[in-house]
Amino acid sequence: MNAQRYLYLSSGIVSICGIVFQVLYGAAGSYLFGDSVLYYCITIGLFLMAMGIGAAVSERLKNWLVTRFVQAEFLIAIIGGFSVFGLFFFSSFFDQGTAQVYLYIVISLTGFLTGLELPILIRRVQEIRADISKSTARVLFFDYAGSLIGSIGFALLLRPALGLIKTAFLVAAINAVIALFLTFYFQKEIRRPALHKLSGVLILLLLGWGFLYGEKYAAAFEQRVYADPVIHAEDTQYQRIILTKEPNDVRLYLNGQLQFSESDEYRYHEALVHIPMALAKQKRNILILGGGDGLAVREVLKHDQVENITLVDLDPAMTDLANTHHELLRLNEGALKDDRVKIVHADAFQYLQENEAFYDVIIGDLPDPNNEGLNKLYTTQFYSLVRNHLAPGGKISMQSTSPVFAPKVFWTIHETMKETGLFTDSYHLDVPSFGNWGFTLASREAIDLDNLQVSDDLSFLNEETARALFAFGNDTDAVIEEEDGGTFDIPVNTLNRPVLIQLYQKAWQDY
């Protein structure tokens, strides 16, 4: 009976490890390559297909079943343990396509070996207990129950506490421990048990080294991706934050995407903030969605009429960094510490659904719509919520990516905001670190640009340049010619039909 119990327990534990590896691979792919739904779909599809192949191959294994199970666990431990570490290596030294192929191979191998395990366990339990229906049902029960524990544990405990690299090494070590335990308990059924025991110990030592030092070496790999020295690297519950610095230029990256460069961020933030502030009837109550670095808040605080600023940012680690890191404090001038600033850590969509306040100016300093989680912040549903929180005479400005590099994305955002009944106008400027960048201005009332008057004390904007931002050339206007000679029919982006993601990925794949 003890043998049965240990096999059932092993089944549950390795199932937890298997599902953790699945979600880990999906998370790593979405972190490094974007589009979380795509990479989770690829991970699940490849993993399950490979499991099926592994299950079919297991029929050919007739003898030494426990030995085969132990060997499969040792291989999973090595492949899974070094999976994310290797992904950082390939992402740093090779192109994105090569790194993606590496990830697909790792997913397939892990799935194949996982598919090999369960039939072996079922057959071994059957040998101990003749009732195959009960043995199969119990092994599958532990497998499915373990999947629930593994997926929730990864999201709530492992990823926030350890990050991706340490999680991979820890979970792999659990696989190795299970295999080593079974090697000792079933040593009479293990072919060359001494060799397997030694192998298990060496694998655990290797995984222990990876757990202790893997992040350090991965950080060295990652440094190759960035032109400047990395001065801060952090995996949060929501994203990977990187700060780099060279003389006179601090840069912030989120999930590998540049957010600002010290050398020219003032251009972006002045255009984002001061255009709607100049046109709004009142400037007392301001809402900023995103902008956890505090730079947009810094610009808003230049207006004396401001009484309250609500900053809604999903990631507390980002606002904490902006409030504590000396380089960010220097750049944002300690803006988040101002008594008029209220920081809310929440999803912007959910915040607008649950909050009933009205705002004179609403500013969207949100990341680009490169995955489903961000896409919802560029839909008619979201812009309708924004509209419903805008006070009479108020103005909205939303960063809208580049009208030069991604014109279809830019004008789709414009059209989506317009679909909600808002009056809209678009403007753009050159930000050297990004190229030509665009924004969408919106209001409940018709927008009168004749009233656009900005302060002369800004680093970039003045009245003349502010008005010029609303002019578009023939290659950036809303009439976009297709390769077949027709014109692009600008769509509307919704939760049900997230057309913006595909447009965004296609636009930026060559940049």
Side-chain angles (χ1 to χ4, degrees), residues 78 87 253 287 345 425 506:
I78 295 171
L87 187 59
Y253 297 84
L287 174 65
H345 296 123
D425 210 334
K506 185 176 181 181

Side-chain angles (χ1 to χ4, degrees), residues 195-213:
L195 177 61
H196 285 82
K197 291 174 185 178
L198 178 61
S199 299
V201 171
L202 292 176
I203 289 171
L204 281 173
L205 290 174
L206 188 61
L207 295 173
W209 174 89
F211 184 86
L212 294 174
Y213 302 106

Side-chain angles (χ1 to χ4, degrees), residues 249-251 258-266 433-434:
D249 191 14
V250 171
R251 296 189 173 206
L258 178 65
Q259 303 302 302
F260 73 76
S261 169
E262 177 183 359
S263 62
D264 53 27
E265 57 82 12
Y266 64 90
S433 297
F434 293 92

Side-chain angles (χ1 to χ4, degrees), residues 171-357:
V171 174
I174 294 173
N175 282 93
V177 167
I178 290 296
L180 195 57
F181 168 77
L182 293 179
T183 300
F184 278 92
Y185 189 83
F186 291 94
Q187 57 183 321
K188 292 182 180 180
E189 301 182 35
I190 299 294
R191 191 176 183 181
R192 304 179 70 179
L195 177 61
H196 285 82
K197 291 174 185 178
L198 178 61
S199 299
V201 171
L202 292 176
I203 289 171
L204 281 173
L205 290 174
L206 188 61
L207 295 173
W209 174 89
F211 184 86
L212 294 174
Y213 302 106
E215 286 188 342
K216 176 183 176 181
Y217 284 93
F221 299 156
E222 194 172 38
Q223 177 64 72
R224 294 177 57 90
V225 177
Y226 302 99
D228 308 324
V230 174
I231 59 174
H232 181 86
E234 179 182 3
D235 282 315
T236 77
Q237 184 177 354
Y238 303 102
Q239 59 197 347
R240 181 159 182 81
I241 302 174
I242 296 287
L243 273 180
T244 68
K245 182 182 180 181
E246 70 169 3
N248 303 316
D249 191 14
V250 171
R251 296 189 173 206
L252 172 68
Y253 297 84
L254 299 180
N255 291 341
Q257 301 289 321
L258 178 65
Q259 303 302 302
F260 73 76
S261 169
E262 177 183 359
S263 62
D264 53 27
E265 57 82 12
Y266 64 90
R267 282 178 159 247
Y268 169 92
H269 288 102
E270 286 182 3
L272 175 69
V273 171
H274 296 292
I275 298 291
M277 293 291 286
L279 293 169
K281 185 177 180 180
Q282 302 289 340
K283 305 176 183 63
R284 293 194 298 265
N285 202 17
I286 313 299
L287 174 65
I288 300 176
L289 304 171
D293 51 40
L295 300 178
V297 176
R298 177 198 67 197
E299 295 301 317
V300 171
L301 289 172
K302 293 178 180 179
H303 294 263
D304 296 334
Q305 306 97 315
V306 171
E307 298 176 2
N308 299 289
I309 302 172
T310 302
L311 174 73
V312 180
D313 194 281
L314 181 63
D315 195 347
M318 185 65 250
T319 55
D320 181 65
L321 189 67
N323 248 334
T324 56
H325 197 283
H326 65 282
E327 293 291 356
L328 289 182
L329 282 171
R330 175 177 62 82
L331 292 175
N332 64 34
E333 299 174 6
L336 299 186
K337 298 180 183 295
D338 193 285
D339 292 338
R340 291 168 288 178
V341 178
K342 176 186 177 183
I343 299 175
V344 178
H345 296 123
D347 175 82
F349 199 106
Q350 184 177 357
Y351 175 81
L352 292 174
Q353 283 181 316
E354 298 175 354
N355 187 268
E356 297 181 354

Side-chain angles (χ1 to χ4, degrees), residues 51-127:
M51 281 184 67
I53 296 172
V57 171
S58 71
E59 291 182 355
R60 300 177 178 272
L61 305 178
K62 304 297 184 182
N63 303 311
W64 301 101
L65 294 181
V66 177
T67 300
R68 302 308 181 199
F69 180 83
V70 167
Q71 290 170 345
E73 286 301 301
F74 283 158
L75 286 173
I76 289 175
I78 295 171
I79 294 168
F82 284 87
S83 58
V84 182
F85 180 83
L87 187 59
F88 273 85
F89 173 84
F90 276 91
S91 297
S92 301
F93 289 89
F94 300 93
D95 58 55
Q96 180 172 306
T98 303
Q100 289 172 326
V101 170
Y102 163 81
L103 179 60
Y104 301 153
I105 292 172
V106 167
I107 293 169
S108 300
L109 289 176
T110 310
F112 172 81
L113 293 167
T114 302
L116 206 65
E117 293 172 341
L118 284 183
I120 290 175
L121 277 181
I122 291 171
R123 287 160 58 192
R124 183 64 191 92
V125 172
Q126 182 190 358
E127 290 175 355

Side-chain angles (χ1 to χ4, degrees), residues 386-460:
V386 173
R387 176 201 63 202
N388 294 345
H389 286 270
L390 189 65
K395 295 294 180 286
I396 301 166
S397 68
M398 294 280 171
Q399 86 83 9
S400 303
T401 195
S402 172
V404 173
F405 303 127
K408 293 181 180 179
V409 177
F410 179 81
W411 291 109
T412 296
I413 294 172
H414 177 108
E415 192 68 22
T416 302
M417 292 187 71
K418 186 177 179 180
E419 181 72 13
T420 67
L422 290 166
F423 291 88
T424 55
D425 210 334
S426 292
Y427 59 104
H428 64 130
L429 77 161
D430 285 324
V431 182
S433 297
F434 293 92
N436 191 276
W437 211 257
F439 308 85
T440 305
L441 181 70
S443 174
R444 286 178 176 271
E445 302 84 21
I447 299 171
D448 183 6
L449 295 179
D450 292 335
N451 293 326
L452 181 57
Q453 297 179 343
V454 299
S455 171
D456 291 328
D457 296 330
L458 301 176
S459 299
F460 168 69

